[in-house]
């Protein structure tokens, strides 16, 4: 007895795949060779699906705007913020972050002369490809540049 | 005399299980003659963690109790906290909250329908239903910023406002799902194969469902009219007339099996669509947060004492949070969570007894178990079966840590 499900499945087989084959349609045999080919422009990769307007990606930290109020440390549920007492600034570990963006909501920011409104030190970026081998790599820690120079 | 029964242990870690639980069955041929369900393998001490953090941190911790319903626990938490602290959310926030909660119910129910298709061995149907689920996840991502772990609620309101573009996306989604549920009804409810695999399987009569304390769609499939949104209405649910979806209203008879559970869940998706439509049609204007400054909110919590119970109807059943604020800390001094799967797992022993081995996946899946919600207490026993007390275990743990530190040469 033919059922509705049978027709659905036959219809499915004739349609284009629903998912986005990012970055390439089939898993490559040699990944390094594929990356080289992409860099030379021989192979085209499928772009990722565009992210929505208010997507919560990696937190960006601007130490110039930070006033050292420590509100972000108070509210952060994952304890991803570390206080640097010598500089009165914070260090943000992206590997611990859970992307709730509470710190962005709570950040008062700083007003430079000539500006009408204060600009927040913490902001949400659209960055979401964060895979790394080392959780303490430079890509995954947001800190003031002086902290790195002085080794704090 | 030859041995006639065989002992089949499954779990706690097993390729067929997604989460840790142990089922010990005694089988005679294809028939199960003795069964025991053991739980308690996923205890994380999350309540104790919550009692050491402040209320905002605990709210986001509660979002991580469950792997999939990431709004039910925060919803119960904010309802309980607002009652205890005497804060009332603005009307606009009270209408935005049910929208998010119902969107989550839609995606959770479609996920379950896919899982049950997978458990009866119909994988093409699993992918077809999950393809339909993408639409609601896209809407959730548009409104809240992420596909899961929405970070939307706050004590005294919501954090993000609904814009015109969001409302347009919601209306598109509602039209899409009215069509999709019609397809699902045809594919699942009038399919002879699906009927053969689920009719009479995992059957719980009404009086037994009461005795086993079942909640949520499982209890409603057995004919019990229970739903937190109907019994203890909160927020915008109090303004609309939410009625529990029971099979006797849909087809006129109740059998309380997995087929009825499917029917209840598909019709609940339609009910959720109605609720979302009502909320966006009657969305009031105004603020979305009672206390917009989080630091001021924490200071208020520090000065207020009170206790309350917050309850919400999660996709799987009722979630209950007990909260007590003592007025000295900025977080709850007591936090107790009751999750729906704990009650629903009671039905496994009853349903498995006398069932066939091939029915085990359907019986396990029909309550939509979420084991990471479950375990609230962990008990350690020694070899003689005596329960070990906390101070003894703590002493042993400290001893072992010191020994390990010495062995590995950890610097202090």
């Amino acid at each position: 007895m033919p059922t509705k499900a049978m027709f659905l499945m036959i219809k499915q087989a004739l349609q284009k795949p629903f998912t986005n084959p990012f970055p390439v349609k089939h898993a490559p045999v040699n990944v390094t060779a594929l990356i080289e080919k992409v860099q030379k422009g021989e192979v085209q990769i499928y772009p990722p699906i565009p992210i929505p307007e208010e997507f919560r990606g990696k937190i960006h930290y601007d130490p110039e705007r930070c006033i050292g109020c420590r509100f972000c440390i108070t509210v952060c549920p994952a304890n991803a913020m570390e206080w640097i007492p010598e500089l009165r600034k914070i260090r943000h570990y992206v590997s611990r972050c859970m992307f709730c963006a509470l710190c962005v909501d709570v950040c008062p920011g700083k007003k430079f002369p000539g500006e009408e409104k204060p600009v927040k030190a913490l902001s949400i970026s659209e960055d979401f490809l964060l895979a790394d081998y080392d959780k303490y790599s430079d890509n995954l820690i947001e800190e003031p540049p002086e902290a790195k120079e002085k080794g704090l | 005399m030859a041995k006639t029964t065989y002992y089949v242990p499954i779990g706690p870690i097993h390729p067929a299980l997604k989460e840790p639980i142990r089922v010990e069955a005694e089988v005679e041929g294809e028939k199960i003659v003795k069964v025991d369900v053991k739980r308690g393998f996923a205890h994380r001490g999350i309540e104790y963690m919550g009692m050491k953090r402040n209320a905002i941190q605990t709210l986001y911790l509660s979002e991580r109790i469950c792997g999939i319903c990431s709004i039910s626990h925060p919803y119960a938490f904010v309802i309980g906290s607002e009652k205890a602290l005497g804060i009332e959310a603005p009307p606009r926030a009270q209408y935005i909250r049910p929208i998010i909660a119902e969107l989550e119910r839609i995606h959770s129910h479609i996920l379950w329908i896919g899982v049950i298709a997978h458990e009866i061995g119909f994988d093409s149907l699993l992918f077809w239903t999950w393809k339909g689920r993408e639409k609601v996840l896209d809407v959730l991502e548009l409104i809240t910023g992420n596909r899961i772990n929405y970070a939307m609620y706050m004590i005294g309101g919501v954090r993000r406002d609904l814009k015109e573009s969001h409302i347009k996306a919601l209306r598109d989604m509602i039209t899409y799902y009215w069509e999709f549920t019609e397809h699902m009804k045809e594919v699942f409810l009038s399919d002879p194969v699906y009927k053969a695999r689920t009719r009479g399987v995992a059957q719980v009569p009404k009086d037994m469902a009461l005795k086993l304390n079942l909640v949520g769609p499982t209890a409603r499939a057995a004919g019990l009219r229970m739903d937190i949104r109907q019994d203890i209405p909160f927020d915008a649910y109090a303004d609309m007339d939410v009625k529990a979806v029971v099979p006797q209203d849909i087809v006129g008879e109740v059998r309380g099996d997995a087929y009825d559970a499917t029917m209840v869940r598909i019709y609940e998706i339609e009910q959720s669509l109605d609720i979302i439509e009502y909320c966006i049609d009657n969305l009031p204007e105004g603020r979305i947060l009672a206390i917009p400054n989080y630091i001021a909110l924490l200071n208020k919590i520090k000065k207020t004492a009170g206790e309350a119970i917050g309850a919400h109807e999660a996709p799987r059943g009722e979630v209950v949070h007990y909260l007590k604020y003592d007025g000295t800390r900025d977080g709850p001094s007591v936090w107790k969570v009751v999750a729906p799967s704990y009650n629903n797992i009671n039905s496994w022993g009853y349903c498995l007894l006398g069932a066939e081995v091939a029915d085990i996946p359907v019986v396990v899946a029909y309550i939509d178990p979420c084991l990471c919600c479950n375990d609230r207490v962990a008990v350690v026993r020694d070899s003689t079966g005596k329960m070990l007390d906390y101070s003894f275990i703590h002493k042993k743990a400290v001893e072992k840590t010191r020994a390990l530190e010495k062995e590995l040469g950890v610097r202090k």
Side-chain angles (χ1 to χ4, degrees):
Chain A
M1 189 180 104
T3 57
K4 171 94 183 171
M6 286 178 195
F7 286 116
L8 259 175
M9 296 315 145
I10 294 165
K11 216 172 132 192
Q12 290 272 343
L14 303 172
Q15 280 171 352
K16 228 171 67 174
F18 179 72
T19 45
N20 180 27
F22 172 74
V24 280
K25 198 170 177 185
H26 299 291
V29 182
N30 188 342
V31 180
T32 354
L34 179 83
I35 294 169
E36 278 171 14
K37 273 183 188 171
V38 171
Q39 279 167 348
K40 281 180 200 160
E42 288 170 18
V43 181
Q44 287 285 315
I45 57 162
Y46 290 89
I49 290 173
I51 52 168
E53 206 181 320
E54 285 182 55
F55 179 78
R56 300 194 303 273
K58 183 183 166 187
I59 303 287
H60 177 71
Y61 176 55
D62 181 2
E64 297 273 299
R65 300 271 183 187
C66 182
I67 59 168
C69 62
R70 288 195 259 180
F71 284 173
C72 48
I73 298 174
T74 315
V75 295
C76 183
N79 293 335
M81 308 286 184
E82 192 185 42
W83 178 242
I84 311 173
E86 290 89 345
L87 297 170
R88 301 193 63 75
K89 304 271 167 181
I90 59 151
R91 182 184 287 129
H92 175 56
Y93 292 96
V94 182
S95 53
R96 273 198 79 96
C97 180
M98 57 188 222
F99 307 102
C100 63
L102 272 171
C103 51
V104 179
D105 281 12
V106 86
C107 183
K110 194 181 192 175
K111 194 160 76 171
F112 283 148
E115 283 175 347
E116 281 192 2
K117 267 185 179 174
V119 178
K120 291 186 177 193
L122 292 159
S123 58
I124 317 171
S125 72
E126 297 186 341
D127 213 354
F128 65 91
L129 295 170
L130 299 171
D132 209 311
Y133 289 110
D134 179 16
K135 62 177 177 178
Y136 298 119
S137 77
D138 291 346
N139 184 28
L140 295 181
I141 292 180
E142 295 269 315
E143 57 182 351
E146 307 95 66
K148 207 174 181 191
E149 284 161 22
K150 292 183 190 162
L152 295 168
Chain B
M1 193 185 147
K3 193 178 166 190
T4 54
T5 62
Y6 288 89
Y7 171 69
V8 183
I10 302 167
I13 307 297
H14 190 271
L17 297 169
K18 277 98 195 161
E19 291 172 278
I21 194 156
R22 186 173 171 86
V23 180
E24 291 170 353
E26 196 94 30
V27 295
E28 195 179 334
E30 272 287 296
K31 212 172 156 212
I32 299 165
V33 289
K34 203 174 150 196
V35 66
D36 191 10
V37 180
K38 288 182 178 166
R39 45 192 162 188
F41 298 99
H43 178 61
R44 291 171 292 169
I46 208 157
E47 287 165 329
Y48 184 67
M49 280 161 76
M51 285 183 249
K52 291 196 294 185
R53 287 163 157 75
N54 68 39
I56 293 178
Q57 289 174 325
T58 311
L59 171 61
Y60 286 84
L61 189 66
S62 77
E63 202 165 297
R64 270 95 185 146
I65 292 176
C66 184
I68 176 148
C69 27
S70 45
I71 223 70
S72 322
H73 285 281
Y75 209 159
F77 187 95
V78 292
I79 294 287
S81 296
E82 281 170 11
K83 273 190 210 163
L85 300 167
I87 304 170
E88 200 188 345
R92 192 175 172 85
Q94 294 194 5
Y95 271 74
I96 294 175
R97 279 184 195 165
I99 297 178
I100 310 295
E102 296 307 318
L103 285 173
E104 189 195 69
R105 188 182 318 278
I106 295 172
H107 99 71
S108 182
H109 279 357
I110 298 179
L111 177 126
W112 176 83
I113 290 165
V115 168
I116 198 89
H118 166 74
E119 300 292 2
I120 64 169
F122 202 163
D123 270 355
S124 341
L125 210 51
L126 160 79
F127 293 115
W128 177 75
T129 42
W130 282 26
K131 184 182 131 187
R133 178 173 169 258
E134 281 302 303
K135 184 94 179 162
V136 64
L137 287 175
D138 284 349
V139 172
L140 275 168
E141 193 184 17
L142 179 72
I143 296 174
T144 66
N146 265 350
R147 280 163 67 94
I148 204 94
N149 289 343
Y150 314 117
M152 186 76 176
Y153 291 2
M154 177 53 64
I155 297 165
V158 286
R159 286 177 55 201
R160 286 177 190 76
D161 204 354
L162 274 191
K163 293 178 192 153
E164 277 304 312
S165 59
H166 297 162
I167 290 174
K168 195 176 162 287
L170 279 169
R171 287 197 197 280
D172 284 353
M173 186 212 76
I174 290 169
T175 5
Y176 176 86
Y177 277 110
W178 275 112
E179 206 179 303
F180 188 70
T181 45
E182 286 304 318
H183 282 305
M184 276 204 290
K185 279 181 206 164
E186 278 181 61
V187 168
F188 284 90
L189 301 181
S190 38
D191 191 68
V193 180
Y194 188 76
K195 214 167 185 170
R197 282 303 305 274
T198 51
R199 252 302 174 222
V201 177
Q203 197 159 8
V204 185
K206 199 170 173 177
D207 55 333
M208 204 60 207
L210 267 177
K211 231 181 259 174
L212 293 170
N213 289 328
L214 302 190
V215 291
T218 319
R220 288 195 284 274
L224 292 172
R225 288 177 196 275
M226 54 186 290
D227 191 321
I228 293 277
R229 295 171 296 168
Q230 170 201 306
D231 303 335
I232 324 168
F234 48 93
D235 283 2
Y237 293 120
D239 297 350
M240 60 193 106
D241 201 17
V242 184
K243 285 267 175 289
V245 178
V246 279
Q248 59 260 44
D249 292 352
I250 305 165
V251 290
E253 57 159 353
V254 187
R255 299 215 197 163
D257 50 14
Y259 182 85
D260 277 359
T262 319
M263 189 157 62
V264 165
R265 280 186 169 96
I266 291 177
Y267 280 86
E268 271 187 21
I269 294 172
E270 297 192 341
Q271 188 195 28
S272 296
L273 293 174
D274 279 338
I275 293 173
I276 294 171
E277 201 158 19
Y278 178 89
C279 286
I280 54 180
D281 284 341
N282 297 294
L283 194 62
E285 291 297 316
R287 299 181 303 153
I288 51 166
L289 274 172
I291 304 170
N293 189 338
Y294 300 160
I295 306 298
L297 177 70
L298 285 177
N299 286 338
K300 185 184 161 56
I301 293 168
K302 208 168 185 175
K303 281 181 278 180
T304 322
E307 58 176 334
I309 281 177
H312 171 61
E313 183 74 23
R316 285 160 183 75
E318 51 196 57
V319 167
V320 182
H321 281 222
Y322 169 75
L323 287 142
K324 187 175 178 186
Y325 292 90
D326 56 5
T328 54
R329 285 185 64 240
D330 51 2
S333 59
V334 181
W335 179 35
K336 177 81 193 136
V337 181
V338 182
S341 294
Y342 190 83
N343 299 18
N344 284 341
I345 289 175
N346 293 346
S347 71
W348 284 3
Y350 174 79
C351 295
L352 284 175
L353 205 63
E356 288 180 5
V357 173
D359 290 338
I360 296 178
V362 180
V363 170
V364 168
Y366 101 108
I367 63 158
D368 201 0
C370 176
L371 303 174
C372 56
C373 285
N374 269 317
D375 299 329
R376 296 276 85 87
V377 177
V379 172
V380 185
R381 291 179 197 277
D382 65 4
S383 54
T384 59
K386 197 175 132 255
M387 207 169 97
L388 301 177
D389 68 336
Y390 174 75
S391 53
F392 178 77
I393 298 168
H394 184 249
K395 207 179 92 201
K396 282 280 178 198
V398 171
E399 272 171 24
K400 184 157 188 186
T401 313
R402 296 281 169 270
L404 276 174
E405 273 177 358
K406 211 170 166 186
E407 198 184 310
L408 300 169
V410 177
R411 280 175 291 130
K412 286 269 167 68

